[in-house]
Amino acid sequence: MFELNSPKIIVFSFLAVILIGTLLLSLPIASRDGNSVGLFTALFTSTSATCVTGLLIVDTYQQWSLFGQIVILLLFQVGALGFVTFATFFSSLFKRKVSLKEMVLVQESLNHFGFEDVIKLVKNVIVLTFSVELAGALILSVKFIPLFGLIKGTYMSIFHSVSAFCNAGFDLMGQREKFSSLTTLNQDPVILNTLAALTVFGGLGFIVWKDLIDYRKNKFLLLHTKVVLAATAILLFIGTVFFFAFEFNNPATLGPLPLVSKINAAFFHSVFSRSVGFNSIPINQLRETSKLITIILMFIGAAPGSTGGGVKITTFAVMIATIISQAKGSPDTIILKRHIPKKIVYRALSIIGLCAMLVITITIALMILEDKPFIDMMFEVTSAFSTVGMTTIGTFNMSAASQFLLVITMFLGRVGPLSFAIALATKNSKKDLVYPEGKIMVG
């Protein structure tokens, strides 16, 4: 008998939101010219928005009407926090009792450690999300209102603030130049710094937010929070240094910019590469070394329980710590003088292995379908899987078959390959069987 457990509900809730978005975006009213874009374009855009990716086959501003843009905004707002989170929030708001099963479901949706205080966490997540997005919109309005007028500037501020915090990467700068993202604003520090701050904050994750807020009271930080903050800072620094070094003399990217602007642009690319997918420099003009570094940063991604994607920064940290421990001859994985349980180590390695196999498999498939360089195909697939949204070749230039593969990749990247595997697993797995020990040589 088919039974919906928590992972399955999470997977199917994302599917439901994508399908609803597809139907709404396929309506003639959703298009600027009043003609339906068709189901496939609507499906691709709805998946990209719900999975907070930002890959595009049509320009958001030039193709979609105000109705269509608002649908997209709602899709990446719901997709970032999860349909389950919103449903639980409104249930508690209207005083409906939330069952234990629903609390476990929310706990899995938010990647929280436990479900005892999950209802309070949901309320805090929603309030904090809207508060940060509002603050970001107010700062952006200082720049956007003088550029676009009061009403349009306010709308632009809200749209881009929500998009940045949700790590969605959708923008409305197509009114200046089609598919231009933030390249026309690459020397505006207020806009870029605000969007970068929103991106980083959204990528830290709900657990980290709560822990930082509680720090004033208990003067204690979880190991999870310490790892996320430290690894985020390290990756941002490394990414900035590498992009600055490799693109310094590139006439198509950092070359023409003043020194301070070069440093800023390198930093922004380091921030945007890990999750959101905005770009303030032409991505297709990056040198191959910079493309490879971007792929690595995209694959690592943001923190668990955040609005970002990737294998997650803590997963990567556990893998590195395990490698270091093995190199030292230690059987245990140690991070900041704390022992990491074997089940977490195995889960981290499984996630990275599954994700790497998925990216490689889809890359091979795209190499068969498209006559494009390998580095660009891997860049596209990693961007889709890690829900980043950057592209070096223009997703709209690819065949329908390749675009459909990217739809599947975006979905798997958002729900998580491991969660998806659990969701489809049969209940009667033979996990209690004990097998005799076998020996095999490795390395």
Side-chain angles (χ1 to χ4, degrees):
M1 185 176 179
F2 185 74
E3 183 179 341
L4 286 179
N5 55 24
S6 297
K8 287 177 182 175
I9 293 174
I10 292 171
V11 168
F12 287 120
S13 68
F14 270 98
L15 273 176
V17 173
I18 289 171
L19 292 177
I20 292 171
T22 300
L23 293 175
L24 291 175
L25 291 176
S26 65
L27 297 174
I29 193 177
S31 295
R32 190 173 288 277
D33 60 5
N35 297 315
S36 173
V37 295
L39 284 176
F40 182 76
T41 299
L43 172 65
F44 190 98
T45 306
S46 179
T47 304
S48 184
T50 306
C51 297
V52 291
T53 306
L55 284 179
L56 305 172
I57 56 177
V58 291
D59 184 84
T60 306
Y61 180 83
Q62 295 192 15
Q63 175 61 53
W64 304 108
S65 64
L66 178 62
F67 173 82
Q69 291 170 18
I70 292 174
V71 168
I72 290 171
L73 187 152
L74 292 175
L75 286 174
F76 58 66
Q77 180 74 88
V78 172
L81 299 181
F83 176 78
V84 174
T85 304
F86 276 103
T88 305
F89 173 74
F90 285 110
S91 292
S92 62
L93 192 66
F94 292 108
K95 308 299 182 183
R96 188 182 74 83
K97 186 176 180 181
V98 180
S99 67
L100 180 62
K101 183 177 181 180
E102 289 173 312
M103 287 193 287
V104 173
L105 180 61
V106 176
Q107 176 247 327
E108 293 198 26
S109 178
L110 291 176
N111 245 328
H112 190 44
F113 291 122
F115 59 84
E116 296 83 0
D117 59 345
V118 76
I119 303 303
K120 182 181 178 181
L121 176 64
V122 166
K123 293 178 180 178
N124 290 339
V125 164
I126 297 294
V127 171
L128 186 61
T129 294
F130 290 154
S131 298
V132 173
E133 289 172 349
L134 177 60
L138 289 174
I139 298 172
L140 291 174
S141 67
V142 174
K143 286 289 186 175
F144 281 134
I145 289 177
L147 286 173
F148 302 104
L150 179 61
I151 296 177
K152 189 174 183 179
T154 301
Y155 168 65
M156 293 274 291
S157 301
I158 294 171
F159 188 96
H160 289 91
S161 179
V162 176
S163 181
F165 179 81
C166 293
N167 284 218
F170 281 79
D171 68 87
L172 300 176
M173 301 315 298
Q175 56 195 293
R176 290 188 163 190
E177 185 181 338
K178 194 174 183 180
F179 297 114
S180 62
S181 190
L182 305 178
T183 54
T184 59
L185 301 169
N186 67 354
Q187 294 196 55
D188 192 316
V190 174
I191 292 176
L192 292 181
N193 278 305
T194 302
L195 294 177
L198 288 166
T199 299
V200 171
F201 196 73
L204 290 178
F206 311 129
I207 299 170
V208 175
W209 302 351
K210 180 179 182 298
D211 203 26
L212 290 174
I213 292 171
D214 292 343
Y215 180 75
R216 293 180 302 173
K217 180 175 61 178
N218 54 31
K219 303 299 179 183
F220 173 80
L221 288 179
L222 296 169
L223 175 63
H224 173 90
T225 300
K226 293 177 182 178
V227 171
V228 168
L229 294 177
T232 297
I234 292 169
L235 288 177
L236 287 178
F237 176 76
I238 291 175
T240 301
V241 170
F242 276 120
F243 290 131
F244 180 81
F246 293 124
E247 298 298 318
F248 186 87
N249 293 321
N250 186 342
T253 56
L254 301 188
L257 301 177
L259 180 60
V260 174
S261 295
K262 286 181 179 181
I263 297 172
N264 285 338
F267 170 73
F268 297 138
H269 186 65
S270 181
V271 172
F272 298 150
S273 293
R274 286 205 16 256
S275 191
V276 71
F278 288 135
N279 60 283
S280 61
I281 55 177
I283 301 299
N284 62 325
Q285 299 297 327
L286 290 173
R287 291 183 169 129
E288 289 205 350
T289 309
S290 297
K291 289 180 182 178
L292 180 59
I293 295 168
T294 305
I295 288 172
I296 294 171
L297 291 176
M298 289 193 297
F299 187 75
I300 295 172
S306 73
T307 57
V311 297
K312 300 299 186 286
I313 197 168
T314 47
T315 307
F316 184 75
V318 169
M319 184 194 74
I320 295 298
T322 302
I323 292 172
I324 293 173
S325 295
Q326 288 295 312
K328 290 180 177 179
S330 172
D332 298 320
T333 298
I334 307 296
I335 298 180
L336 298 177
K337 299 182 179 179
R338 293 291 186 272
H339 168 258
I340 307 302
K342 291 293 184 185
K343 65 178 182 180
I344 294 179
V345 174
Y346 295 151
R347 180 178 173 84
L349 297 178
S350 298
I351 290 172
I352 290 175
L354 280 170
C355 294
M357 285 190 289
L358 174 64
V359 169
I360 291 170
T361 301
I362 301 297
T363 299
I364 292 172
L366 290 192
M367 289 290 293
I368 296 171
L369 295 171
E370 306 287 333
D371 184 21
K372 298 287 194 306
F374 168 77
I375 191 73
D376 291 320
M377 291 294 92
M378 177 161 277
F379 192 105
E380 194 81 15
V381 174
T382 308
S383 179
F385 163 75
S386 298
T387 68
V388 175
M390 288 185 177
T391 178
T392 56
I393 57 173
T395 312
F396 51 88
N397 290 321
M398 302 176 74
S399 65
S402 297
Q403 290 170 355
F404 184 71
L405 281 177
L406 292 178
V407 167
I408 296 173
T409 306
M410 287 188 286
F411 179 76
L412 290 175
R414 184 57 182 150
V415 301
L418 194 58
S419 296
F420 193 71
I422 294 171
L424 297 179
T426 56
K427 187 175 180 180
N428 297 321
S429 60
K430 299 179 180 179
K431 60 182 180 180
D432 295 324
L433 288 179
V434 177
Y435 296 95
E437 181 180 293
K439 294 184 178 180
I440 186 169
M441 297 295 293
V442 296

